[in-house]
Amino acid sequence: METVINPSRDRWSALTERSGIDTAKIRGKVSDILSDIASRGDAAVYDYVEKFQGVRLASLAVTEEEFAEAEKSLDASLKEAIKAAGENIAKFHASQKAPVKKVETAPGVVCWQKSVPIEKVGLYVPGGTAPLFSTVLMLAIPARIAGCSKIVICSPCNAEGQVNPATLYAARIAGVTDFYKLGGVQAIGAMAYGTESVPRVYKIFGPGNQYVMEAKQQVSISGVAIDMPAGPSEVEVLADSSADPEFVASDFLSQSEHGADSQSVLVTTDAALAEKVKAAIEEQLKQLPRREIVEKALRNSRVVVFDNIDDAIDFTNEYAPEHLIISCRDYAAVGERIINAGSVFLGPYSPESAGDYASGTNHTLPTSGYAKGYNGVNLDSFIRKITFQEISRSGLGRIGETIEIMAANEFLDAHKNAVSIRLKNK
Amino acid sequence: METVINPSRDRWSALTERSGIDTAKIRGKVSDILSDIASRGDAAVYDYVEKFQGVRLASLAVTEEEFAEAEKSLDASLKEAIKAAGENIAKFHASQKAPVKKVETAPGVVCWQKSVPIEKVGLYVPGGTAPLFSTVLMLAIPARIAGCSKIVICSPCNAEGQVNPATLYAARIAGVTDFYKLGGVQAIGAMAYGTESVPRVYKIFGPGNQYVMEAKQQVSISGVAIDMPAGPSEVEVLADSSADPEFVASDFLSQSEHGADSQSVLVTTDAALAEKVKAAIEEQLKQLPRREIVEKALRNSRVVVFDNIDDAIDFTNEYAPEHLIISCRDYAAVGERIINAGSVFLGPYSPESAGDYASGTNHTLPTSGYAKGYNGVNLDSFIRKITFQEISRSGLGRIGETIEIMAANEFLDAHKNAVSIRLKNK
């Protein structure tokens, strides 16, 4: 892990670079699978499940019996944990509801926005080596609170045709039963175009490998909305001398176990802390089962030392981390100055894993510096704000001339007429 | 203009189809220009301006003198109109500010969202046959209210190297002076990658022709956010027997003059109204200068008659129009049942042109049925909601076990450790 001391600003762009994912090589392959699903529907989907999961399914949809079995098979403690996390997530996302606010912009001209749920949404939940049942909660609970009438989940099954039971239980807790045993490009294609079994949706959410990301990007060009572009996960810890090196080391390691391409960055005003963190990482690493992945990820990670907090904050905003842990004495004041980040964790007792699972905030966040233009998934991600206006005859009289003059100057006479004809004596 | 009576539901999908724009043919051309700009910067940009606008510019940026001259050259009445519209737009968008709401999801676990402006945004304003200075107001005013610190506008110049004076005046009214004489793909490329003259931005807004749309889609894949995908403009009028046929005709014509690919649809429960609207269109058409465009657009337009309002509303939600004018006796009740639309205009005195210019609502709206997954531009389009959490030691104690159990079951032991290490006696 590299340590950089007081880098000049012209080096920041290199120091904030991500490993990124080049999907150019898989573009054609993904687009072939998508077209095949668009034209052959279920027949194609079953073929791809057989090819990639190694099982010829009799049906894509998870049955009521499978849900019940999954629930029975789980430990009570895990079920309790999933429920408790779900409650916090529900509380936080429910608090994001916005009331309708009517505004009279001119007398007789009343305008407002109304939040309306997206009717049909699709949630992608990766399977693979780690079953991400927490992602089910993070996507399905806000979708339900928003009021989406059709919530579809796709997640891959194993070679026995089974989906991880905790994933199924989380879906049930969140109130979703439209669950299909589908992973990868075939899941994204099925939800984007619809097949005989899988309903077509208007927006697709969720993380995934490079194939899933590329498929989401490709369907987004044909008008299906997606939550955001995605890259490898990352954390920055912004710390001063008050930080506990063991805590920081544990945050580095928890980020690193996500995958070999994960990145952790320590930005600090205390060079001595950096050394202590490195030592603590070595120590803690010994106990970790995912050691190999973690060691690879630590190679992408670095320490940047500044001699003042202002540069440290500017650097942080330039990096725009997905997760930002602020472990400084005056963490609240530092937090106020953050303008680019996905989710910010304030103080020594707010580890990233709290937000990953159970504090209530969403863990679907912009990576790769996308936090400069995007925010993470929230209640708004599942609604659209439709504008309404109600204008009285006298209200139109007030703004009519403004409209007529502007329309005439944009050479749009029919726009002008639509006002004039209404204001003529009738 | 085709009239369809009581179409069965299996015909709705065909009846709600848009002409659409197939950009497959221009994809390569657009991507070549974008790569050239990414690698050659300003040198490439100046070349494309010369090629497409027919002028070799000395400088891309509009000067203070040019702004002043533009202001001097305009009629006082137009300046007043632009200011008046700007004030209503500002009032409506300022009302969309959301207060910070801290939520204690569990004792000692405090979570909130903070609205933070996107630092750098780029606004594209088409030039061409009609100068769209209204678009400047619709994009630059919310950007300024959101607090974006860098607001860049690109709009093409004419062969004399001049930008339309009303467009420049609107930019100044909105408080934007970072204005570049750039149109088409070269504008999108310059804002997405940055050049020596044009700053790189994090999100690009604004309408444009098929080249601009394709360029926006392409840069969006490399992580620059865009407002939304776009297609030809459209209006639906949903009317019962209380509607004034002359008003409806004027709304059809004002939509149709946007371009030959525009679409207008009348959905009505009154077959007689349809005939009267057609007659009124013939009459009003005679006075219009853009007659040729309008006549072409009317060929994409249609009337759909239902014998009950429920089907009419369901059909409307399936069509998901960019603009929806509800001219029914009980327009408020009908409006409540709309779930897919960009902007809704209620009652006889709310023509689309009010929202296009001066009522205060935004006119940058989702077309082509994208209203099912997207909303129009609003204040939120210029901000990101960053989540924050502050957890006390006892708060972490409350949710710690939940996190530990979930992390262990996702095989993420380091996530678990980040909690355990903080709760150990220290």
Side-chain angles (χ1 to χ4, degrees):
Chain A
M1 203 163 54
E2 183 195 15
T3 300
V4 189
I5 313 278
N6 267 325
S8 58
R9 284 188 186 237
D10 54 7
R11 290 182 60 200
W12 289 13
S13 133
L15 287 171
T16 55
E17 217 170 288
R18 315 304 210 268
S19 61
I21 290 172
D22 182 14
T23 55
K25 274 172 288 176
I26 60 170
R27 202 157 288 163
K29 202 169 166 184
V30 168
S31 121
D32 288 347
I33 299 178
L34 289 176
S35 327
D36 192 22
I37 291 169
S39 65
R40 291 202 299 132
D42 266 1
V45 168
Y46 279 101
D47 286 353
Y48 290 112
V49 173
E50 183 166 15
K51 184 169 172 191
F52 295 115
Q53 261 71 48
V55 56
R56 188 83 202 172
L57 294 175
S59 152
L60 294 171
V62 170
T63 63
E64 184 48 38
E65 291 70 44
E66 288 174 295
F67 276 113
E69 260 173 54
E71 182 163 355
K72 238 190 292 174
S73 76
L74 291 183
D75 271 359
S77 65
L78 178 56
K79 287 193 271 194
E80 279 314 305
I82 291 174
K83 268 197 244 173
E87 277 163 28
N88 291 348
I89 295 164
K91 213 178 286 178
F92 185 56
H93 288 81
S95 79
Q96 294 165 19
K97 284 188 186 169
V100 171
K101 204 163 28 170
K102 294 195 176 184
V103 182
E104 198 162 15
T105 54
V109 181
V110 182
C111 305
W112 66 96
Q113 293 194 112
K114 185 180 159 190
S115 294
V116 180
I118 298 175
E119 255 187 293
K120 302 178 190 178
V121 296
L123 317 179
Y124 184 75
V125 179
T129 53
L132 294 184
F133 54 85
S134 57
T135 297
V136 176
L137 301 180
M138 293 293 176
L139 298 175
I141 290 177
R144 182 176 45 73
I145 291 172
C148 302
S149 49
K150 187 65 144 181
I151 305 171
V152 172
I153 298 181
C154 283
S155 193
C157 59
N158 61 18
E160 282 74 49
Q162 291 160 333
V163 176
N164 178 277
T167 302
L168 293 183
Y169 179 73
R172 240 198 178 181
I173 286 295
V176 178
T177 51
D178 246 330
F179 198 121
Y180 300 90
K181 296 174 181 176
L182 264 180
V185 179
Q186 52 273 27
I188 305 304
M191 293 192 284
Y193 311 127
T195 71
E196 296 86 333
S197 307
V198 184
R200 181 187 152 228
V201 302
Y202 304 140
K203 188 167 183 178
I204 297 176
F205 296 78
N209 62 20
Q210 54 176 336
Y211 289 93
V212 170
M213 291 177 212
E214 172 63 22
K216 280 173 67 185
Q217 293 278 25
Q218 288 192 16
V219 300
S220 81
I221 286 186
S222 64
V224 180
I226 63 170
D227 48 359
M228 69 192 90
S233 188
E234 68 213 13
V235 73
E236 177 190 318
V237 182
L238 173 57
D240 63 14
S241 60
S242 74
D244 184 315
E246 286 201 43
F247 294 3
V248 177
S250 76
D251 295 325
F252 257 57
L253 294 171
S254 81
Q255 185 57 52
S256 300
E257 75 179 336
H258 273 298
D261 53 5
S262 291
Q263 188 174 61
S264 305
V265 176
L266 170 63
V267 177
T268 181
T269 50
D270 181 19
L273 177 74
E275 296 314 308
K276 289 181 217 153
V277 169
K278 283 185 189 174
I281 287 174
E282 284 309 312
E283 203 47 45
Q284 290 178 27
L285 188 54
K286 291 178 191 158
Q287 278 108 55
L288 286 184
R290 287 195 175 220
R291 197 176 164 144
E292 214 172 306
I293 292 174
V294 171
E295 281 176 338
K296 276 189 197 147
L298 287 174
R299 273 176 235 146
N300 315 320
S301 300
R302 61 174 67 96
V303 178
V304 185
V305 182
F306 287 103
D307 58 16
N308 68 81
I309 190 71
D310 297 331
D311 281 344
I313 292 172
D314 285 354
F315 182 88
T316 301
N317 284 323
E318 185 53 37
Y319 183 54
E322 179 190 11
H323 305 95
L324 172 64
I325 298 173
I326 302 182
S327 206
C328 294
R329 220 165 268 107
D330 48 354
Y331 56 77
V334 173
E336 281 299 322
R337 296 171 63 190
I338 298 306
I339 58 173
N340 294 323
S343 196
V344 181
F345 299 78
L346 295 172
Y349 292 100
S350 304
E352 184 199 313
S353 46
D356 286 343
Y357 290 112
S359 63
T361 59
N362 210 290
H363 77 197
T364 313
L365 296 165
T367 55
S368 308
Y370 299 143
K372 290 176 175 175
Y374 292 88
N375 54 232
V377 166
N378 61 7
L379 192 68
D380 281 351
S381 310
F382 297 90
I383 63 169
R384 293 142 306 143
K385 293 190 176 165
I386 301 179
T387 48
F388 283 78
Q389 60 202 283
E390 183 177 353
I391 306 178
S392 67
R393 193 178 195 284
S394 75
L396 190 60
R398 287 218 174 227
I399 60 170
E401 205 188 337
T402 295
I403 300 167
E404 289 173 329
I405 293 173
M406 291 178 77
N409 277 279
E410 287 192 351
F411 310 126
L412 296 173
D413 291 78
H415 279 66
K416 182 184 167 191
N417 286 352
V419 172
S420 319
I421 210 165
R422 283 169 162 92
L423 294 177
K424 261 195 317 204
N425 276 342
K426 289 206 107 183
Chain B
M1 202 161 58
E2 183 196 14
T3 300
V4 189
I5 313 276
N6 267 325
S8 58
R9 285 187 185 239
D10 54 8
R11 290 184 58 202
W12 288 13
S13 131
L15 287 171
T16 55
E17 219 171 287
R18 315 304 209 269
S19 61
I21 290 173
D22 182 15
T23 55
K25 274 172 289 176
I26 61 170
R27 202 156 290 163
K29 203 168 163 185
V30 168
S31 119
D32 288 348
I33 298 178
L34 289 176
S35 325
D36 194 21
I37 292 169
S39 65
R40 289 202 300 132
D42 267 0
V45 168
Y46 279 101
D47 286 351
Y48 290 113
V49 172
E50 183 166 15
K51 184 170 173 190
F52 295 116
Q53 261 71 47
V55 56
R56 188 81 201 173
L57 293 175
S59 153
L60 294 172
V62 171
T63 63
E64 184 49 35
E65 290 70 43
E66 288 174 296
F67 275 114
E69 259 172 54
E71 181 162 357
K72 241 192 289 175
S73 76
L74 291 184
D75 272 359
S77 64
L78 178 55
K79 286 194 272 195
E80 278 315 307
I82 290 174
K83 268 196 244 174
E87 278 163 25
N88 291 348
I89 294 163
K91 213 178 287 180
F92 185 57
H93 289 81
S95 79
Q96 294 165 20
K97 283 189 186 169
V100 170
K101 204 161 33 168
K102 295 195 176 184
V103 183
E104 198 162 13
T105 54
V109 181
V110 182
C111 306
W112 66 96
Q113 293 194 113
K114 184 180 160 191
S115 294
V116 179
I118 298 175
E119 256 187 293
K120 304 178 190 177
V121 296
L123 316 179
Y124 184 75
V125 179
T129 55
L132 294 183
F133 55 84
S134 58
T135 298
V136 175
L137 302 180
M138 293 294 176
L139 298 176
I141 291 177
R144 182 176 43 75
I145 291 173
C148 303
S149 49
K150 187 64 143 183
I151 305 172
V152 171
I153 299 182
C154 283
S155 193
C157 58
N158 61 19
E160 281 73 50
Q162 292 159 332
V163 176
N164 178 276
T167 302
L168 292 183
Y169 180 73
R172 238 195 181 186
I173 286 294
V176 179
T177 51
D178 245 331
F179 198 120
Y180 300 91
K181 297 173 180 177
L182 265 180
V185 178
Q186 52 273 28
I188 305 305
M191 295 191 284
Y193 311 127
T195 71
E196 297 85 334
S197 307
V198 184
R200 180 186 152 228
V201 303
Y202 304 141
K203 188 168 183 178
I204 296 175
F205 296 79
N209 62 21
Q210 55 176 336
Y211 288 92
V212 170
M213 290 176 212
E214 173 63 22
K216 280 173 67 184
Q217 293 278 23
Q218 289 192 16
V219 299
S220 81
I221 286 185
S222 63
V224 180
I226 62 169
D227 48 359
M228 69 190 88
S233 189
E234 66 212 14
V235 72
E236 178 189 317
V237 182
L238 173 57
D240 63 14
S241 59
S242 73
D244 184 315
E246 286 200 43
F247 294 3
V248 177
S250 75
D251 296 326
F252 257 57
L253 293 170
S254 81
Q255 185 56 53
S256 299
E257 73 179 340
H258 274 297
D261 53 4
S262 291
Q263 186 173 64
S264 305
V265 175
L266 170 63
V267 176
T268 182
T269 49
D270 181 19
L273 177 74
E275 295 313 309
K276 288 181 218 154
V277 168
K278 282 185 189 173
I281 286 175
E282 285 307 314
E283 203 47 44
Q284 291 178 26
L285 188 52
K286 290 178 191 157
Q287 278 109 54
L288 286 183
R290 289 195 174 219
R291 199 176 162 143
E292 216 172 303
I293 291 174
V294 171
E295 281 176 337
K296 276 189 197 147
L298 287 173
R299 272 176 235 145
N300 315 321
S301 300
R302 59 174 69 96
V303 177
V304 185
V305 182
F306 287 103
D307 58 16
N308 67 83
I309 190 71
D310 297 332
D311 282 344
I313 291 171
D314 285 354
F315 182 87
T316 301
N317 284 324
E318 185 53 37
Y319 182 54
E322 180 191 11
H323 305 96
L324 172 63
I325 299 173
I326 303 182
S327 207
C328 295
R329 218 165 270 107
D330 47 353
Y331 55 78
V334 173
E336 281 299 322
R337 294 170 63 190
I338 298 306
I339 57 172
N340 293 323
S343 195
V344 181
F345 299 77
L346 296 172
Y349 292 101
S350 305
E352 185 199 313
S353 45
D356 285 342
Y357 290 111
S359 63
T361 59
N362 210 290
H363 77 196
T364 312
L365 296 166
T367 55
S368 308
Y370 299 144
K372 290 176 175 173
Y374 292 88
N375 54 230
V377 165
N378 61 8
L379 192 69
D380 281 350
S381 309
F382 296 90
I383 63 170
R384 294 141 306 146
K385 293 189 177 166
I386 302 179
T387 48
F388 284 79
Q389 59 203 283
E390 184 178 350
I391 306 178
S392 67
R393 193 178 196 285
S394 75
L396 190 61
R398 287 218 175 227
I399 61 171
E401 205 189 335
T402 295
I403 301 169
E404 291 173 327
I405 292 172
M406 290 178 76
N409 277 280
E410 287 192 351
F411 310 126
L412 295 173
D413 291 80
H415 278 66
K416 181 183 168 193
N417 285 353
V419 172
S420 318
I421 211 165
R422 282 169 162 91
L423 295 177
K424 262 195 317 206
N425 276 341
K426 286 207 109 184

